[in-house]
């Protein structure tokens, strides 16, 4: 268990998004999150997989797709990889109507932070929420992630 914790801790220290938040934050995140491995083509997040978690990608690739509506078309709009986040919209009151995130090109290794633990870290480390906002704006600015509701 100690070796797994230290491995997770060192991996998070190397994450350019998290590093500025400091070692104490990274330690708390390591302790409050859990490792999850998602098999290829499994869905991580969608309007029918409701889980208010924030995921940190440690390894692998995730495809972000949108649905045009019931029975309509589906289109891939982006690919996420190591050091990216899934579920940023779960940290605020946002209803996912048409976005699907699934694992592609093999297994996806995630660190999952559930809603309760996210709120604890947010309350303890105000800069954590600021980091999520900056991350989201950078993704939009760099055209790496498009969020739209076609419903």
């Amino acid at each position: 268990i100690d070796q797994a914790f230290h491995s997770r801790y060192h991996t998070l220290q190397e994450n350019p998004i998290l590093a500025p938040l400091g070692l104490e934050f990274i330690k708390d995140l390591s302790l409050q999150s859990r490792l999850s491995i998602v098999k290829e083509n499994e869905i991580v997040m969608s309007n029918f997989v409701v889980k208010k978690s924030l995921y940190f990608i440690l390894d692998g690739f995730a495809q972000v797709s949108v649905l045009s509506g019931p029975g309509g078309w589906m289109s891939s709009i982006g690919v996420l990889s190591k050091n990216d986040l899934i579920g940023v919209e779960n940290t605020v009151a946002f209803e996912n109507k048409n976005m699907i995130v699934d694992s592609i090109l093999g297994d996806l290794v995630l660190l999952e932070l559930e809603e309760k633990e996210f709120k604890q870290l947010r309350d303890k480390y105000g800069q954590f929420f600021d980091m999520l906002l900056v991350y989201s704006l950078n993704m939009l600015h760099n055209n790496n992630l498009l969020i739209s509701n076609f419903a």
Side-chain angles (χ1 to χ4, degrees):
I1 293 175
D2 284 344
Q3 185 178 4
F5 169 77
H6 288 295
S7 175
R8 180 184 306 176
Y9 179 76
H10 290 295
T11 299
L12 292 174
Q13 278 182 304
E14 296 170 0
N15 184 316
I17 299 165
L18 300 175
L21 297 175
L23 297 178
E24 190 65 30
F25 170 83
I26 291 172
K27 178 182 175 188
D28 283 350
L29 176 61
S30 299
L31 290 169
Q32 294 189 33
S33 57
R34 71 178 180 92
L35 192 64
S36 177
I37 298 176
V38 180
K39 296 293 182 192
E40 185 172 0
N41 297 322
E42 280 187 35
I43 294 175
V44 177
M45 191 178 82
S46 73
N47 61 334
F48 48 87
V49 175
V50 181
K51 194 167 187 186
K52 294 290 187 180
S53 294
L54 177 65
Y55 302 93
F56 299 84
I57 300 178
L58 301 181
D59 194 29
F61 298 93
Q63 173 178 240
V64 180
S65 303
V66 291
L67 293 170
S68 65
W73 52 265
M74 183 172 85
S75 178
S76 176
I77 59 170
V79 174
L80 302 174
S81 60
K82 184 176 180 177
N83 295 330
D84 281 325
L85 304 175
I86 299 172
V88 174
E89 52 279 336
N90 291 334
T91 64
V92 294
F94 176 83
E95 181 184 352
N96 177 20
K97 295 182 180 178
N98 66 336
M99 190 166 42
I100 297 173
V101 179
D102 63 325
S103 175
I104 59 170
L105 305 173
D107 292 348
L108 179 64
V109 182
L110 302 171
L111 201 57
E112 180 180 2
L113 187 64
E114 293 182 352
E115 183 178 21
K116 178 183 170 193
E117 287 74 20
F118 166 77
K119 287 179 179 178
Q120 289 172 349
L121 286 175
R122 178 198 63 199
D123 293 345
K124 186 173 179 180
Y125 302 96
Q127 68 272 31
F128 180 35
F129 195 76
D130 294 343
M131 177 275 300
L132 292 174
L133 179 60
V134 169
Y135 172 81
S136 298
L137 292 172
N138 282 335
M139 292 298 280
L140 289 170
H141 178 74
N142 294 329
N143 298 318
N144 292 333
L145 181 61
L146 171 67
I147 299 176
S148 58
N149 280 306
F150 293 99

